[in-house]
Amino acid sequence: MSKYPCILAAGDSAFTVEFGDRMDEALNRRVRALDATLNAQPFPGMLETVPTYRSLLVMYDPLTAGETQVRAALIRALEGLRADRLPEGRLFEIPVSYGGTSGPDLADVAAHCGMTPSQVVRLHTEPAYRVAMLGFAPGFSYLFGLPRVLATPRLTTPRTRVEPGSVGIAGLQTGIYALHTPGGWRIIGRTPTSLFDPDSDDPFVLHAGDRVRFLPVD
């Protein structure tokens, strides 16, 4: 019998609901389904939920709801979970300038994959990626869907500063930096699209479940 999903205490005011131990789009879909279920019908005291690749963090107010009540609410939500009813998600077309100063690692990625830079760009712009989660830094998006032939290891030594909008590859992942941060992903391009606005009511442009298609621009 599978041990998943399992509900684990995360301190005295949160639970983590784990659905597996790997990065898998079907598994992530169950994470997002529970996220949608709880936010559509929050239990008393629920404060915030945070989806990841394989788990959902559920924070609550312990002065409003006790651990036993929250655990029971999570079990009820899991019993009725229907991942097949998730909406398709919004589609964003994001322009990207590949290579040059915008993508200083494009040539290295091409060499690692045994391709030309233009072949890497063509393959990278073919899929419609799925946003699996946001994390690491505000607005940083982790995307499912990178063609396996483009998988490239992280930099041996991370950069101390990566420009906002940088599009990177790390292993089988691709993602977008929304802010100036350090980073070890291979940077192949950059978008002028701003993905994080702390002054907005909804600071993040992308959310888990959205889809992204990259459009090459000069």
Side-chain angles (χ1 to χ4, degrees), residues 33-43 46-51 56:
L34 180 61
D35 187 34
T37 297
L38 291 175
N39 281 284
Q41 295 183 311
F43 58 81
M46 191 178 96
L47 297 177
E48 187 178 2
T49 56
V50 182
L56 183 71

Side-chain angles (χ1 to χ4, degrees), residues 47-195:
L47 297 177
E48 187 178 2
T49 56
V50 182
T52 73
Y53 270 121
R54 63 181 189 87
S55 64
L56 183 71
L57 179 68
V58 182
M59 291 174 274
Y60 64 94
D61 179 1
L63 298 179
T64 302
E67 179 179 328
T68 301
Q69 295 168 287
V70 176
R71 185 181 289 273
L74 295 177
I75 291 172
R76 286 195 299 274
L78 288 168
E79 288 173 345
L81 197 63
R82 292 292 303 271
D84 58 335
R85 293 183 179 177
L86 267 178
E88 182 59 18
R90 303 170 300 170
L91 176 64
F92 291 85
E93 293 186 333
I94 295 182
V96 176
S97 175
Y98 285 93
T101 56
S102 298
D105 299 320
L106 177 61
D108 289 342
V109 170
H112 176 82
C113 299
M115 302 178 186
T116 65
S118 61
Q119 287 174 317
V120 171
V121 173
R122 178 177 59 77
L123 287 171
H124 193 259
T125 53
E126 280 185 350
Y129 295 89
R130 178 77 65 186
V131 180
M133 57 177 278
L134 304 180
F136 161 61
F140 185 98
S141 54
Y142 293 80
L143 310 178
F144 277 122
L146 181 73
R148 298 187 70 84
V149 292
L150 295 183
T152 307
R154 297 167 186 257
L155 296 171
T156 303
T157 302
R159 291 184 171 87
T160 57
R161 179 183 174 95
V162 176
E163 296 299 314
S166 293
V167 177
I169 289 176
L172 266 173
Q173 304 172 95
T174 192
I176 313 170
Y177 289 79
L179 296 175
H180 284 124
T181 65
W185 292 36
R186 304 270 180 173
I187 305 304
I188 61 172
R190 191 189 310 159
T191 178
T193 302
S194 176
L195 299 176

Side-chain angles (χ1 to χ4, degrees), residues 11-30:
D12 59 3
S13 59
F15 280 101
T16 296
V17 183
E18 295 189 345
F19 287 86
D21 58 0
R22 64 190 187 282
M23 291 191 297
D24 175 271
E25 190 160 358
L27 186 153
N28 179 258
R29 188 175 180 85
R30 298 190 70 200

